[in-house]
């Protein structure tokens, strides 16, 4: 089971890097969503993946049976999923408001906070 | 003095919640904000003196043991950092009284500032990496909201860059909890 998850994480990370290198901010946010899923899958797989063995302690025993999957990483990613969804929602609203105010989602053309100086502007014009 | 460890987190959180609830009246909000900042400074000073006198303090919330429960630890460095952030928070609250123009957006300033302080103090007092990550996220979401308060083009443009870089960093720190 773990090799399949490792391949899935690799594919997700490749898609993340491809999307995050885009200048389109909306694509960047989609890459961010995939990135958080890839990170959560890594943590999920670190707890072990076994079938049909609940992490319970049998009566009379002091420790759970061997070959169980660890429940703590699963509880951790439950929290991480909630947090990443809230941040994703904030990023989507931020992208929408930015599009309303600046009328672009191209991060190269968002120059409201850092306006181009006269020299840099002239340099770009000769290059362009 | 286990409750001293919880105070620097609970006081700003309570100030944020009461401030959000009382956003209808500006005077109430300012009074709550000032009281919260002074209370946080007092709690941080108490924590610092306690750690200075008795050494490193730690508490398991609800008596749950370490891998399952939430651990709070205050050593000398983290107690000093909590005291420094409480002092800066108090100074910022007093400065914000004179600096902000009254309006609907200024009503969100003080509660968000206290949410930010709760995240910062929680991050300093967290006893394991995962809780550090959670408190860091609380600090991050409050700082993002503070950054775009007002919604001018320059603020939104800056927030896009800040959000992009910090969200990559949080995904990396999420991976580091393994």
């Amino acid at each position: 089971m773990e090799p399949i998850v490792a391949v899935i994480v690799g594919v997700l990370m490749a898609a993340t890097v491809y999307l995050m290198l885009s200048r389109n901010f909306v694509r960047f946010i989609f890459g961010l969503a995939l990135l958080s899923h890839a990170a959560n899958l890594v943590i999920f797989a670190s707890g072990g993946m076994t079938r049909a063995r609940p992490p319970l302690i049998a009566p009379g025993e002091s420790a759970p049976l061997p070959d169980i999957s660890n429940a703590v990483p699963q509880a951790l990613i439950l929290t991480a999923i909630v947090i990443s969804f809230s941040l994703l929602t904030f990023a989507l609203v931020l992208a929408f408001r930015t599009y309303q105010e600046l009328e672009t989602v191209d991060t190269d053309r968002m120059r409201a906070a850092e306006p181009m100086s006269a020299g840099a502007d002239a340099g770009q014009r000769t290059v362009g | 003095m286990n409750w001293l460890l919880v105070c620097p987190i609970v006081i700003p959180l309570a100030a944020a919640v009461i401030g959000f609830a009382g956003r209808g009246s500006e005077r109430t909000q300012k009074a709550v904000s000032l009281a919260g900042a002074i209370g946080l400074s007092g709690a941080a000073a108490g924590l610092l003196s306690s750690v200075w006198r008795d050494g490193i303090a730690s508490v398991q919330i609800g008596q749950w043991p370490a891998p399952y429960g939430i651990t709070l630890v205050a050593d000398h460095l983290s107690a000093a950092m909590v005291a420094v952030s409480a002092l800066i928070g108090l100074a910022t609250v007093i400065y914000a009284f004179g600096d902000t123009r009254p309006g609907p957006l200024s009503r969100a300033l003080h509660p968000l500032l206290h949410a930010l302080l709760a995240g910062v103090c929680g991050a300093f007092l967290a006893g394991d990496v995962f809780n550090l990550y959670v408190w860091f996220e609380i600090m991050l979401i409050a700082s993002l909201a503070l950054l775009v308060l007002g919604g001018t083009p320059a603020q939104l443009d800056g927030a896009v860059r800040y959000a992009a870089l910090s969200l990559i960093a949080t995904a990396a720190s999420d991976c580091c909890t393994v």
Side-chain angles (χ1 to χ4, degrees):
Chain A
M1 195 66 185
E2 280 89 349
I4 302 172
V5 175
V7 170
I8 293 173
V9 168
V11 171
L12 280 175
M13 276 309 293
T16 299
V17 172
Y18 175 73
L19 286 170
M20 280 194 162
L21 290 176
S22 166
R23 281 184 299 181
N24 187 329
F25 187 57
V26 181
R27 280 194 178 198
F28 179 88
I29 291 172
F30 289 153
L32 201 70
L34 289 183
L35 178 64
S36 63
H37 287 313
N40 287 337
L41 270 177
V42 169
I43 298 175
F44 185 66
S46 77
M49 290 175 151
T50 50
R51 282 175 155 230
R53 189 69 74 82
L56 300 175
I57 300 172
E61 300 283 328
S62 62
L65 296 165
D67 297 331
I68 56 147
S69 50
N70 192 348
V72 172
Q74 300 180 9
L76 295 189
I77 70 163
L78 192 61
T79 315
I81 287 170
V82 174
I83 291 173
S84 68
F85 264 124
S86 71
L87 285 174
L88 182 67
T89 319
F90 180 86
L92 285 171
V93 174
L94 179 65
F96 180 64
R97 282 288 293 139
T98 312
Y99 178 68
Q100 279 185 326
E101 291 288 331
L102 303 175
E103 294 178 346
T104 179
V105 287
D106 186 343
T107 43
D108 271 4
R109 293 164 80 199
M110 291 180 188
R111 308 298 305 189
E114 299 166 87
M116 286 211 203
S117 62
D121 201 21
Q124 190 151 39
R125 211 175 293 133
T126 53
V127 170
Chain B
M1 285 298 181
N2 284 340
W3 52 269
L4 259 179
L5 270 164
V6 187
C7 277
I9 298 170
V10 171
I11 290 171
L13 269 184
V17 170
I18 299 170
F20 272 123
R23 65 186 177 279
S25 152
E26 203 156 344
R27 280 190 59 192
T28 318
Q29 210 184 26
K30 283 184 173 177
V32 167
S33 180
L34 189 62
I38 291 172
L40 176 60
S41 301
L47 179 65
L48 185 60
S49 72
S50 161
V51 170
W52 196 266
R53 204 173 48 241
D54 304 329
I56 297 170
S58 73
V59 60
Q60 300 284 344
I61 305 294
Q63 301 292 337
W64 285 91
Y68 303 103
I70 295 168
T71 315
L72 296 179
V73 181
D75 57 4
H76 294 77
L77 176 67
S78 58
M81 294 306 277
V82 166
V84 167
S85 15
L87 209 60
I88 293 174
L90 179 62
T92 313
V93 164
I94 293 169
Y95 179 76
F97 287 157
D99 190 55
T100 47
R101 288 183 294 278
L105 288 171
S106 74
R107 306 269 169 85
L109 175 74
H110 288 286
L112 283 174
L113 184 61
H114 282 283
L116 182 70
L117 281 175
V120 170
C121 291
F124 285 138
L125 294 177
D128 55 73
V129 180
F130 186 73
N131 284 309
L132 175 66
Y133 163 73
V134 172
W135 287 113
F136 184 77
E137 296 288 332
I138 292 173
M139 184 193 80
L140 185 70
I141 201 87
S143 69
L144 280 166
L146 278 171
L147 198 61
V148 295
L149 207 63
T152 63
Q155 280 179 313
L156 289 167
D157 185 13
V160 164
R161 279 135 225 266
Y162 180 67
L165 291 176
S166 55
L167 292 184
I168 295 172
T170 57
S173 68
D174 187 12
C175 275
C176 291
T177 59
V178 178

